[in-house]
Amino acid sequence: MDDYPETYVAHNYPLVVLSGLGSGPSELGQENAHRLPHGDGATFQSDLPQVTGERADELLSNLFAVSDSKKPRAGKSEQNGAGLGGFQLEAIGRRYTLPPRKAAPPPSSPTMSPQNSQSTNFPSSRALHSPLSPLSPGSPIYPDGIMTPLWLEKHQFNVPAVFVSFITFSSDPNRNSLNDNHLKNEINNVKGVLTRSGHRTRYAVVLISEKSIVESPDIEERLSTIRRATGLDPKTSLFFLPPNTSRVELSTFATSLLSALQPVCIEYYRDLTKHARRKKNRGAVPPPTAPPTKGTSQALSALGWSIRYDFKGGIFAEFRQEMEAAGRNYNMALDTLLGSDGIFETTHSWSGRWEEARLLADALALRVIRCFLWNAQTTSAVQFWTRYRDAIKSLLDRRGKGTATYGWQVWMARWAKVMAELIQKVNVQGLRLPNVRSGVDANAIQQQVILYAPAEKIFPVGERLPPWNLLAHPGYWFWLSARHAASRRKMAQEIPEEDRTPPGQSPAARVASRSQTYDCYLCPEPHVECTVDHGARIRELLGLSSSEFAGRGQRRFAWRLDFDCAKELMKASKHFDACRILRPVWQGMTWRVEGWWRPAFEVIWNLYECARACNDVLLIVSTSWELLSSVFPQKPGHRYDLANCVGASQADSDSEEGKVLVSLQGENVCSFISVSFNFASEEGHVGEHTPIQYVLSSFAHRDSTPVTLSHVTLQFEGSLEQIRINHDKNLSSSSEEPDGITVIQDITLKSELQRNSTIILSGTADLTLCSGRTIILECPMIFREAGSVRAVRANLSLDAHAFKLDYSTPIISDESSSHWYFKSGQNVYKRHIPLEDSSAITILPKPPKLVIAMPSILSQYYVGEHISLEAVLSNGEEEEANVNAQVRIIDALGQNLAYDLTLVPTESEITVQIGEETAERGKDIQIKGMGPSEARTFAISFTAPADPTSLSLELDCTYRLIGDPETQISKSFSTSFDITNPLEASYQVSTYVHPEPWPDFFSTKKVFERDHSNLNSETYELDFGIARSWLISAQITSFASDDLVLEYVELACHRTHGPAVFTLAARQNQLLSRLSPSQQHVHQFELVVRTADPEERRPITLDLALDVTWRRADANATFDHTASKDHGVDVENEKTPITTSLLLSPFVVTSPEPRVVCTASFLDDTPQDLSVLLLEYTIENPTMHFLTFSTLMEASDEFAFSGSKSSSFNLVPLSRHVVRYHVMPLANSRDDSDQVIVRPEMKVTDVYFGQTLKVVPGDGVLADKDGILVDLSVVRSRHISS
């Protein structure tokens, strides 16, 4: 925008003049270049002293800071925190001169008199107009010009909207009246000057007090008097600043002052807008001060006056920061200007008014675009620019000198730059350049910004807009400007030689033809255009564009722009600057990885030429290395000789110390040598040969000179550090071999001690690479340590006469490099290596030949069992070994179990030592001098845990051979086995009537009881309670995989919950029994419970358990099934008995309640051919109440009975009564299985409570869902057994 007048393109802010506050930072004072040339008007002059001091300076700086007039803003959201628009502040002294509002009348002269007959009617009094009006003869646009930039200078820099006087308000009691009168006179004097000047400038006064109201109470009265005498409004015209204000208070005062003046300024420019609108609405052209003289242009037409008034309306709206209204006025003015009957259609292109109209059109278009951008209408701005460009092009082709001139390219380049600068200054939302921080990736930056502004909401969603209708960021417009600047240079270079001479040295005809051919609007004449440094302009624009593209993460286009800029510098022979620009592009471009070989080649080649021109050896060698690659085009006439790429004149010295060291990384450059490394297998062992192949392939240009490497180095991760292969010139034979041959070289590696005490493997080979040659360096390796080894980097070194080159590249294993080369006859073939990563290998320890066996281990062990395991160590090595074995037994929780180690005696003399047990390692055994094929056995014994779990046994052996004591060989053995419970128990309970008599409720005699656990025992006395008994049938099931021998089974009570005394006794003698897997055994026990207190009603809970003594059964052993516990201890004494406690479900004894128990048995004197049952119904009353019961035996067709059909009797507390029946089954009592079943139905009713008692089955009686029943076969079997 520098080519346009500043006032035509600058944004307009209200002008506020600050008088008496010193000179501010503004450079827009009265004595500068903005002073109008047509004389002075009214002048403000006061003899009041200026306000000085630190407080005045601070107030002035705060006013300029708050006004923020230099900050471009786009939209309301970008205004400052106070909601203020910008201000154009100007700090002056006590003198200020306004421009004249009316021009001076012209002097009378014959030339000014009318020449025709109608001039006699010309009025004698002339109409005076503004000095800048087309109606004033002294105006630069008289008589038919539309607008001049001086008019904008007048309103932006000379005629203020508000004139503010800063006056010191002193408080001297002796001079207050005199000072106040003087102050009133000065204020009224300034107001009078403003009134006489004819301008509508507002006036405001700021009184800066020296004392506060507290110190001088009459200040308020004085201020009121001054306000009444001067007519100043205390809200908008009169302000008071108290003394002793802080910096924060001064800033607040400055903000409030400008906030109060803002509506005043808006009102001022609104009045000017109304004045211009009224003049436009008159519809008539005002009379000029003097008519145009004969032979000159005619007066400005009505269309011209309409354009002038619309332009003024837009400027005044922009002063008010009403950008929408300003845009509408600018649009109307521009449409009228470019209309079919506009100024361009009536003006010749050779006229000066044509250039002025084009300048005005550009200013209007620029301001319209700025209004669109201000209101975030980006797409509308681009569409307007496109329409304006097409309109100007059509206009120039029709009325002007065409668009095939360099003037059109100048105009296009200028406007592209104007668009970029407008976007930057308006700071369009979304197109701002992000704040780039160090370490932030370009991809992350690109995700934070957008490359073009989206269409605004006025366009329907989904409407397909051309991409050029969307506003791109400034980098695009700078690049577009650079393209047009390049086209301008091209056209300038095509200017004919006869047009290159100055006009004074050319014939008049040629000068006239030149003026009709070349469009020189805002650009030099042809003879000057030829001498313009277009390259500097292009480089500047390319640099601006590159910074914008790079700042938004568009690296590829930024590299292209930098490359174009470097080429421009090379054209100007500025190779150092070109090298400075190309070097970052060469180092950072990703075109190598992406396969964009042509642009990459252009960068590398141009950098090579710059390096040669700058004698930069480092860059010459680096670029020559890349140019050798055949992926780049071959440059005709260029000699590809890497070793001699630096001439003798360019080398600093031929000595070793003076050689330039060049270091290249494979990740950053494109090499003509490809490197791969492969292991033959993915696993190897310590001490064994592992073959490797190191492949070097040359992809240099066909006619290039062979390259001889001084040495190559391989870097590894893991137990191997590096391998170095040196070049041996005695082995060189590549000169005799054709290009493209593949050679396999066998290498012998030797250990070599370096200066830093590290050991590397080194060898020699022929390292001369010609075009298309592949060298395979093959050698066997022996690893001394176990672990993972990976080839990570390869270093290629070249030692030339002028430099040393070191190229480092990573080893990458992929499908294309995983090949193994082998020679068959005279040819070399390759096959694919089926490995996931052929550049890595896992070195395993030397395979151990120590054999670990545990022959005696079983598949299953049981809780509490004593376990003994035998471990056998056999030496399978060919020499003696010192063995160290560690044993650990770990349970499921990770805890170590204690164990014992016992050595099995042997005849060989072997030193064996058993170490102490530790928590981390367990016990260890050291066996020294264990000969070949020799075995050693030791036993591991421990007791299995009491709860089921899973155990792991780990046996770790390490040994060293006598012949190789430095190599430790490991062998591990681990096994796991479960510890399970071999037995499971359940039980059933049946009611049993205890035979002892109940205690007499009316007697104090003691009760006698016999010990049921011993059938031969005598009775003993009991001092308490009644006895209740149950028959417990315990069922034991084997879940073991082997046969078990049950030696003894005992029912025990571990805990009692409640006040009770119990006894437990087996119903029969315990015998040894063999229990097979999944087999069940039943054992019966009698439980007798007594309570000491008959009144006790709480339930009693017994925690029962079945203690089973068992052992494993020997498959070949026999034993006596009739042996008891006491007599069977020595049977199968080789197996240690184990006692296992099997928990049963808790047994609950309910509170004593009346019950009926039915028992069945055969009569002893019953004949064999008769089946007569004795049914006994025992009715018990264990309560402390007198109860009455009634009984009723139901008749049945299945049996006959003798006894009471029904009866009734009374039971005293703690008593029982037995009702007996003789029952003989009948023939129809047999069921389908020919069993005799009797179902007696007897009802026992508690007469008092009316409840029927349930009959509980007792001994010999069964129960089902239909009630109780008696199976004669069951009763008979019990009768026989008893």
Side-chain angles (χ1 to χ4, degrees):
M1 291 186 288
D2 297 337
D3 296 335
Y4 296 105
E6 180 186 358
T7 54
Y8 259 5
V9 297
H11 185 66
N12 299 115
Y13 295 97
L15 176 62
V16 178
V17 174
L18 309 178
S19 175
L21 203 59
S23 299
S26 174
E27 299 178 357
L28 308 175
Q30 282 277 290
E31 303 300 331
N32 59 17
H34 292 291
R35 187 168 181 176
L36 298 179
H38 47 260
D40 297 335
T43 301
F44 302 95
Q45 189 170 1
S46 175
D47 58 352
L48 291 175
Q50 290 199 128
V51 181
T52 57
E54 181 180 356
R55 187 167 63 149
D57 297 338
E58 184 73 21
L59 177 60
L60 184 62
S61 62
N62 284 329
L63 286 171
F64 276 94
V66 173
S67 69
D68 203 14
S69 61
K70 303 267 182 187
K71 176 184 176 182
R73 289 177 294 274
K76 299 179 180 179
S77 61
E78 297 294 329
Q79 292 183 350
N80 55 26
L84 295 175
F87 289 91
Q88 183 71 47
L89 300 184
E90 182 179 353
I92 63 171
R94 291 299 185 187
R95 179 183 175 86
Y96 189 79
T97 301
L98 293 171
R101 189 170 181 273
K102 299 292 184 180
S108 299
S109 63
T111 58
M112 300 294 294
S113 302
Q115 300 297 325
N116 51 25
S117 60
Q118 298 178 357
S119 62
T120 56
N121 298 328
F122 194 82
S124 59
S125 60
R126 302 178 184 273
L128 300 180
H129 302 281
S130 169
L132 301 177
S133 172
L135 302 175
S136 298
S139 173
I141 56 176
Y142 176 82
D144 54 354
I146 301 176
M147 183 54 64
T148 175
L150 295 177
W151 183 87
L152 285 94
E153 288 189 23
K154 168 186 171 182
H155 287 279
Q156 183 65 75
F157 303 110
N158 292 275
V159 181
V162 180
F163 187 87
V164 184
S165 295
F166 290 83
I167 304 174
T168 301
F169 190 67
S170 60
S171 296
D172 186 357
N174 299 324
R175 298 179 58 87
N176 282 344
S177 178
L178 181 62
N179 292 336
D180 292 349
N181 291 331
H182 188 197
L183 182 60
K184 296 174 193 176
N185 294 332
E186 291 294 336
I187 294 174
N188 290 327
N189 182 31
V190 174
K191 294 182 64 177
V193 172
L194 285 176
T195 303
R196 292 189 298 272
S197 69
H199 295 286
R200 294 178 171 84
T201 301
R202 272 57 169 174
Y203 183 60
V205 176
V206 177
L207 300 178
I208 302 178
S209 178
E210 296 179 348
K211 293 184 180 180
S212 64
I213 298 179
V214 177
E215 297 173 341
S216 180
D218 59 342
I219 288 180
E220 290 188 0
E221 183 179 354
R222 293 173 60 195
L223 291 176
S224 178
T225 303
I226 293 172
R227 179 177 57 81
R228 289 193 300 269
T230 57
L232 296 177
D233 188 354
K235 294 182 179 180
T236 59
S237 303
L238 183 61
F239 303 93
F240 178 78
L241 178 63
N244 303 324
T245 51
S246 63
R247 292 186 176 182
V248 177
E249 292 173 336
L250 284 176
S251 178
T252 304
F253 178 79
T255 303
S256 61
L257 174 62
L258 295 180
S259 299
L261 295 180
Q262 183 171 353
V264 178
C265 296
I266 294 175
E267 186 64 28
Y268 166 76
Y269 290 108
R270 185 170 285 117
D271 289 346
L272 296 180
T273 303
K274 294 177 181 178
H275 178 69
R277 188 183 301 117
R278 285 195 299 268
K279 294 173 68 175
K280 178 183 177 182
N281 293 335
R282 292 173 185 171
V285 178
T289 301
T293 58
K294 182 179 180 179
T296 62
S297 301
Q298 299 299 317
L300 184 64
S301 64
L303 287 177
W305 283 102
S306 177
I307 295 171
R308 180 178 175 86
Y309 291 136
D310 288 337
F311 181 76
K312 287 184 177 182
I315 294 296
F316 292 143
E318 193 166 337
F319 271 114
R320 301 193 304 269
Q321 310 305 307
E322 298 175 1
M323 303 305 292
E324 292 185 6
R328 289 193 298 269
N329 283 276
Y330 294 146
N331 254 319
M332 289 188 294
L334 187 61
D335 290 342
T336 307
L337 185 63
L338 297 177
S340 59
D341 53 350
I343 300 299
F344 288 105
E345 303 297 333
T346 59
T347 307
H348 297 288
S349 61
W350 48 263
S351 172
R353 298 305 181 193
W354 174 276
E355 302 291 334
E356 291 179 2
R358 285 195 64 182
L359 189 63
L360 179 61
D362 285 352
L364 287 170
L366 187 149
R367 289 178 176 269
V368 170
I369 293 174
R370 184 166 58 201
C371 291
F372 279 128
L373 297 180
W374 184 286
N375 296 317
Q377 297 176 353
T378 55
T379 302
S380 299
V382 179
Q383 291 178 343
F384 173 81
W385 146 246
T386 304
R387 293 194 302 269
Y388 177 68
R389 179 198 61 195
D390 296 340
I392 293 297
K393 183 177 180 180
S394 175
L395 176 65
L396 293 179
D397 290 336
R398 289 185 298 103
R399 300 279 302 169
K401 301 172 184 178
T403 56
T405 63
Y406 68 86
W408 171 253
Q409 299 299 332
V410 172
W411 188 86
M412 288 293 295
R414 181 188 305 114
W415 259 103
K417 185 180 179 184
V418 165
M419 289 294 293
E421 292 176 349
L422 280 177
I423 296 171
Q424 288 178 334
K425 290 185 177 181
V426 177
N427 204 6
V428 178
Q429 182 74 21
L431 294 181
R432 302 171 183 172
L433 196 64
N435 295 325
V436 181
R437 301 185 301 274
S438 59
V440 179
D441 187 18
N443 295 328
I445 297 174
Q446 194 171 8
Q447 295 176 359
Q448 299 175 5
V449 297
I450 57 177
L451 306 181
Y452 57 87
E456 53 264 26
K457 295 181 179 180
I458 60 175
F459 295 94
V461 178
E463 181 179 354
R464 298 179 63 88
L465 295 173
W468 52 84
N469 283 354
L470 301 176
L471 183 65
H473 62 79
Y476 164 78
W477 297 100
F478 282 127
W479 171 68
L480 190 62
S481 179
R483 289 181 57 188
H484 288 290
S487 300
R488 172 190 178 182
R489 178 178 60 185
K490 182 179 179 181
M491 291 185 175
Q493 293 172 352
E494 296 174 353
I495 295 176
E497 192 65 31
E498 58 269 17
D499 293 340
R500 295 173 180 264
T501 58
Q505 302 177 8
S506 301
R510 191 63 193 172
V511 173
S513 175
R514 190 184 305 175
S515 64
Q516 296 296 326
T517 303
Y518 298 100
D519 184 5
C520 298
Y521 169 67
L522 296 182
C523 63
E525 295 289 339
H527 67 281
V528 180
E529 179 70 15
C530 298
T531 62
V532 173
D533 187 5
H534 299 92
R537 183 69 171 175
I538 295 173
R539 294 193 299 269
E540 178 189 359
L541 293 172
L542 288 175
L544 294 174
S545 179
S546 176
S547 62
E548 292 287 340
F549 276 98
R552 289 170 172 82
Q554 295 178 276
R555 299 173 298 172
R556 296 181 184 87
F557 205 83
W559 294 332
R560 173 187 170 180
L561 295 173
D562 289 339
F563 173 70
D564 294 340
C565 184
K567 292 188 70 175
E568 292 293 333
L569 289 170
M570 292 175 66
K571 291 179 182 179
S573 298
K574 297 181 180 181
H575 294 92
F576 283 99
D577 295 336
C579 187
R580 177 179 51 82
I581 294 177
L582 279 178
R583 189 164 189 166
V585 178
W586 171 69
Q587 292 174 343
M589 64 181 180
T590 59
W591 294 332
R592 304 181 186 92
V593 180
E594 296 161 351
W596 295 10
W597 304 118
R598 188 66 194 184
F601 168 73
E602 294 294 338
V603 172
I604 298 171
W605 178 258
N606 284 274
L607 182 61
Y608 171 76
E609 290 187 338
C610 290
R612 292 189 66 86
C614 299
N615 197 20
D616 191 333
V617 178
L618 180 62
L619 282 180
I620 292 174
V621 177
S622 300
T623 52
S624 297
W625 177 274
E626 288 201 78
L627 290 173
L628 270 173
S629 177
S630 60
V631 297
F632 298 122
Q634 188 171 1
K635 199 74 172 178
H638 177 67
R639 182 185 178 188
Y640 291 91
D641 188 356
L642 181 62
N644 299 314
C645 63
V646 180
S649 60
Q650 295 174 320
D652 296 337
S653 174
D654 292 338
S655 62
E656 291 292 330
E657 293 78 6
K659 291 183 180 181
V660 178
L661 179 60
V662 182
S663 180
L664 300 177
Q665 300 294 324
E667 298 90 337
N668 303 327
V669 298
C670 181
S671 174
F672 69 97
I673 300 177
S674 68
V675 179
S676 62
F677 181 86
N678 298 311
F679 287 100
S681 60
E682 61 182 354
E683 289 185 352
H685 293 87
V686 173
E688 296 182 356
H689 289 277
T690 302
I692 64 170
Q693 281 189 353
Y694 184 22
V695 183
L696 301 175
S697 299
S698 174
F699 298 97
H701 290 293
R702 187 170 186 81
D703 298 332
S704 61
T705 304
V707 176
T708 301
L709 303 176
S710 58
H711 63 270
V712 295
T713 305
L714 275 172
Q715 302 290 339
F716 292 88
E717 285 182 353
S719 58
L720 182 63
E721 289 195 5
Q722 69 176 12
I723 298 176
R724 176 168 176 163
I725 309 297
N726 298 313
H727 174 67
D728 189 354
K729 60 182 180 180
N730 297 324
L731 301 176
S732 299
S733 60
S734 60
S735 60
E736 303 175 358
E737 297 172 352
D739 293 350
I741 194 170
T742 302
V743 179
I744 299 179
Q745 301 183 32
D746 295 329
I747 302 175
T748 302
L749 298 178
K750 299 180 181 179
S751 298
E752 182 180 336
L753 181 63
Q754 300 295 305
R755 294 180 179 179
N756 55 0
S757 300
T758 60
I759 299 177
I760 66 172
L761 299 177
S762 63
T764 58
D766 176 19
L767 300 180
T768 301
L769 286 168
C770 58
S771 175
R773 189 185 190 200
T774 299
I775 299 178
I776 298 97
L777 306 177
E778 183 175 355
C779 60
M781 293 185 61
I782 299 177
F783 293 92
R784 296 297 181 184
E785 296 182 10
S788 297
V789 178
R790 178 187 298 274
V792 291
R793 294 197 75 84
N795 296 326
L796 312 181
S797 297
L798 174 65
D799 192 356
H801 70 280
F803 62 90
K804 290 182 178 180
L805 186 144
D806 186 10
Y807 171 72
S808 177
T809 181
I811 299 295
I812 301 175
S813 178
D814 53 15
E815 190 73 18
S816 61
S817 62
S818 300
H819 294 95
W820 189 264
Y821 294 83
F822 61 96
K823 192 171 184 180
S824 178
Q826 297 297 326
N827 298 324
V828 177
Y829 302 93
K830 65 180 180 180
R831 58 177 175 83
H832 178 67
I833 304 176
L835 299 179
E836 183 177 354
D837 186 2
S838 60
S839 63
I841 189 172
T842 302
I843 303 301
L844 303 175
K846 187 175 181 179
K849 297 182 180 179
L850 181 70
V851 181
I852 304 175
M854 300 189 73
S856 62
I857 191 169
L858 300 178
S859 60
Q860 191 176 31
Y861 293 94
Y862 310 119
V863 294
E865 185 180 10
H866 182 76
I867 303 174
S868 180
L869 305 175
E870 287 187 356
V872 181
L873 303 181
S874 300
N875 184 12
E877 300 285 352
E878 297 179 355
E879 54 183 316
E880 291 186 358
N882 297 327
V883 184
N884 184 16
Q886 296 179 358
V887 181
R888 291 184 65 191
I889 302 177
I890 306 173
D891 60 7
L893 300 177
Q895 303 294 329
N896 292 339
L897 265 67
Y899 59 89
D900 294 327
L901 290 179
T902 304
L903 293 172
V904 178
T906 180
E907 296 179 358
S908 60
E909 295 182 358
I910 301 178
T911 304
V912 180
Q913 181 179 356
I914 299 178
E916 297 294 333
E917 182 178 4
T918 62
E920 295 81 7
R921 301 186 310 164
K923 293 182 179 180
D924 59 344
I925 298 178
Q926 296 180 2
I927 305 175
K928 296 183 179 180
M930 190 173 181
S933 303
E934 192 169 356
R936 192 68 172 143
T937 305
F938 57 92
I940 306 170
S941 57
F942 61 95
T943 301
D947 297 322
T949 184
S950 177
L951 298 182
S952 297
L953 187 144
E954 298 177 358
L955 181 56
D956 298 329
C957 296
T958 58
Y959 65 95
R960 299 176 186 268
L961 300 178
I962 300 299
D964 188 9
E966 296 182 357
T967 303
Q968 177 176 292
I969 307 174
S970 301
K971 181 66 178 290
S972 298
F973 176 85
S974 63
T975 184
S976 61
F977 45 87
D978 296 331
I979 305 298
T980 60
N981 201 334
L983 302 174
E984 186 176 308
S986 61
Y987 70 95
Q988 295 180 352
V989 180
S990 58
T991 306
Y992 181 70
V993 178
H994 200 275
E996 76 173 19
W998 281 25
D1000 190 355
F1001 185 72
F1002 301 100
S1003 174
T1004 60
K1005 291 183 180 180
K1006 295 181 179 180
V1007 181
F1008 295 87
E1009 175 64 290
R1010 186 177 63 181
D1011 184 6
H1012 292 274
S1013 62
N1014 188 355
L1015 299 178
N1016 299 323
S1017 63
E1018 300 295 334
T1019 60
Y1020 58 90
E1021 294 183 342
L1022 293 175
D1023 295 331
F1024 55 85
I1026 61 177
R1028 289 186 290 170
S1029 63
W1030 291 266
L1031 184 63
I1032 297 179
S1033 299
Q1035 188 177 38
I1036 301 175
T1037 305
S1038 173
F1039 288 92
S1041 58
D1042 305 320
D1043 289 351
L1044 302 180
V1045 176
L1046 302 184
E1047 294 190 350
Y1048 187 71
V1049 180
E1050 182 179 7
L1051 183 66
C1053 181
H1054 291 175
R1055 187 176 180 184
T1056 303
H1057 303 276
V1061 177
F1062 64 91
T1063 59
L1064 293 170
R1067 292 295 296 269
Q1068 55 188 358
N1069 292 333
Q1070 296 287 342
L1071 302 176
L1072 289 178
S1073 59
R1074 186 163 184 151
L1075 191 61
S1076 300
S1078 302
Q1079 187 179 359
Q1080 297 179 352
H1081 279 194
V1082 179
H1083 297 262
Q1084 294 183 341
F1085 302 89
E1086 182 180 354
L1087 171 63
V1088 178
V1089 179
R1090 290 182 174 87
T1091 54
D1093 187 3
E1095 298 291 338
E1096 182 62 50
R1097 295 297 178 187
R1098 291 178 296 174
I1100 302 169
T1101 303
L1102 304 180
D1103 295 338
L1104 302 179
L1106 206 61
D1107 295 336
V1108 181
T1109 302
W1110 60 276
R1111 53 186 167 82
R1112 287 179 181 266
D1114 193 348
N1116 300 323
T1118 58
F1119 60 92
D1120 186 6
H1121 286 273
T1122 61
S1124 64
K1125 176 182 178 181
D1126 297 334
H1127 299 91
V1129 175
D1130 295 332
V1131 180
E1132 294 187 354
N1133 53 10
E1134 70 277 3
K1135 302 292 184 178
T1136 304
I1138 303 167
T1139 301
T1140 302
S1141 182
L1142 305 177
L1143 297 179
L1144 303 177
S1145 57
F1147 180 75
V1148 180
V1149 181
T1150 59
S1151 58
E1153 295 292 339
R1155 69 174 182 174
V1156 179
V1157 181
C1158 177
T1159 60
S1161 62
F1162 278 110
L1163 295 176
D1164 295 337
D1165 54 354
T1166 303
Q1168 293 292 332
D1169 54 348
L1170 294 178
S1171 297
V1172 179
L1173 294 175
L1174 175 61
L1175 294 181
E1176 293 183 341
Y1177 290 89
T1178 303
I1179 304 171
E1180 299 177 348
N1181 179 19
T1183 66
M1184 299 301 292
H1185 304 281
F1186 289 90
L1187 300 178
T1188 301
F1189 297 95
S1190 64
T1191 63
L1192 175 63
M1193 172 63 77
E1194 298 288 346
S1196 176
D1197 296 337
E1198 298 177 353
F1199 61 89
F1201 69 92
S1202 66
S1204 175
K1205 171 70 176 178
S1206 62
S1207 63
S1208 178
F1209 52 87
N1210 297 321
L1211 289 181
V1212 299
L1214 302 179
S1215 63
R1216 60 185 177 181
H1217 177 72
V1218 179
V1219 178
R1220 295 179 175 86
Y1221 293 92
H1222 291 178
V1223 177
M1224 184 177 68
L1226 302 179
N1228 56 359
S1229 62
R1230 298 179 181 273
D1231 60 3
D1232 296 338
S1233 59
D1234 201 23
Q1235 293 181 344
V1236 180
I1237 296 177
V1238 177
R1239 291 182 176 273
E1241 296 185 9
M1242 180 178 180
K1243 294 183 179 180
V1244 180
T1245 305
D1246 187 342
V1247 177
Y1248 181 78
F1249 291 102
Q1251 293 182 352
T1252 301
L1253 301 183
K1254 182 179 179 181
V1255 179
V1256 180
D1259 192 13
V1261 181
L1262 303 177
D1264 60 7
K1265 62 180 181 179
D1266 297 328
I1268 64 172
L1269 59 90
V1270 179
D1271 188 348
L1272 267 67
S1273 60
V1274 175
V1275 177
R1276 190 178 302 278
S1277 62
R1278 292 188 179 183
H1279 180 72
I1280 295 174
S1281 61
S1282 62

